[in-house]
Every structure is written in structure tokens, then in C-alpha cells.
Amino acid sequence: MAPYSGGTLAEEITTNKLFNILSLEKSTGELQTLDTDFYASVKKFIEGLSQVEGKETEAKNASKLLANIMERRKQKILIYLAYNKPLPKPMPAEEENLYNEILKILNSSDKENKSVKIKILEDLPEVITPYGKKLGPFKAGQLIEVDSGEDENFLVVNKIGEKV
């Protein structure tokens, strides 16, 4: 079964095609390519069904299929991010935006977790920080590296060490 692509999607979408897309997403760990306007077109299709008398049940089924497709694809996007894998193209704009936003967050948290050099001011036996981490023992004048953030703050605020 080939992934959907091309054409005027709103005219081509059917409940059966949504079912086939969901089946394909379930059968593989890879994200399938979809047109950039996939979600907008499916939403138009569902709105069109809900306005036709006697098609309310089909509209509900199509909505459930769409929700399942979205959930499955979000899970795969997170897996792609975990393994630093780029998204296949074309990809719906909403999914590409989600991928890029999460990637920004991951990259910014990586920068925040850099280590910092601290010079210990006095001899210090092993201590347990308020965050539950063991530090020490240290000698006065010793240079150590700690993760920036909580440990650095604890050492500097309590005048145990100073940033180098």
C-alpha cells in the first residue's frame, strides 16, 4: 500500500483512505509521507460529511480515524527526535512544526546542562545537597566541575566555592 501523496486531497479523502493510512502507520515504525495540507484537507472532508444528512456516523468514524492517525504519528515523531532522525518529506506542516519546536526545547536544555568549574574555598567533607546529590570531600583550592544549575548554585550561595 503506497502512502498518500499528490492531487487535490480534499476530493480524494475517503473514510476508507483514512483507514488505510492508519493501517499503514500501525504496520511500520517509519512515518509515512503525507501532503503538507493533509490535516486541513481531512478536516474539510469531515466537516463536509457532518453537513450531509445521514453521514453523521461516517463523520464520527472519520474523526476517530484522524485522531488515531495523529496519535500514532506523534509517537513516531518523538521516536525520530530521540534518535536524531530527520523527518521524511513531504510532511504535514503541523507535524513539521511540532518536530522543530520539540527539537528547539531539547537543544536548549542540552545547553543548560553544561558543566561549570568551581574553586572550592575551604576543606569540605562529603555533603548531601538539598537536591539529594552527594558532593565531596574536597580540599581548599581544589578545582571541580559540576553541572550548571542546582549544584553550582548550592556551592556558590553557601560560600563553599566560587565560579572560575
Side-chain angles (χ1 to χ4, degrees):
M1 174 181 342
Y4 172 82
S5 70
T8 307
L9 189 59
E11 295 170 17
E12 295 183 32
I13 290 291
T14 64
T15 305
N16 192 41
K17 285 192 181 188
L18 290 175
F19 180 79
N20 289 339
I21 290 169
L22 178 59
S23 296
L24 191 58
E25 289 295 341
K26 284 182 174 182
S27 70
T28 179
E30 298 294 317
L31 274 167
Q32 303 305 304
T33 58
L34 295 172
D35 282 346
T36 56
D37 64 343
F38 174 75
Y39 291 115
S41 298
V42 173
K43 287 175 184 174
K44 279 186 198 173
F45 167 73
I46 293 170
E47 287 171 10
L49 281 178
S50 61
Q51 293 173 359
V52 175
E53 194 170 322
K55 297 278 187 174
E56 295 86 3
T57 302
E58 187 178 351
K60 284 181 186 177
N61 289 339
S63 292
K64 287 178 185 176
L65 287 169
L66 178 61
N68 286 329
I69 290 168
M70 291 171 72
E71 187 64 30
R72 179 74 57 164
R73 291 179 66 83
K74 283 180 194 173
Q75 291 171 359
K76 288 182 181 182
I77 288 170
L78 292 173
I79 291 169
Y80 273 56
L81 285 160
Y83 290 99
N84 291 322
K85 190 173 180 179
L87 292 177
K89 302 286 182 195
M91 209 32 55
E94 296 87 347
E95 292 177 355
E96 190 137 356
N97 291 340
L98 174 65
Y99 178 90
N100 291 331
E101 287 299 314
I102 294 172
L103 190 59
K104 273 190 226 172
I105 292 168
L106 292 174
N107 288 338
S108 71
S109 69
D110 285 348
K111 290 175 189 165
E112 291 170 7
N113 292 329
K114 300 293 182 201
S115 62
V116 174
K117 288 191 180 198
I118 300 283
K119 180 181 176 184
I120 300 299
L121 300 175
E122 342 180 327
D123 290 349
L124 178 73
E126 182 178 77
V127 294
I128 298 177
T129 69
Y131 315 105
K133 187 171 181 183
K134 291 181 183 181
L135 297 175
F138 302 118
K139 297 281 183 202
Q142 182 178 354
L143 286 177
I144 63 168
E145 281 193 30
V146 295
D147 295 336
S148 64
E150 295 172 342
D151 295 339
E152 171 194 0
N153 191 39
F154 174 77
L155 292 171
V156 172
V157 167
N158 291 296
K159 298 186 182 358
I160 297 168
E162 62 186 13
K163 228 173 161 177
V164 180

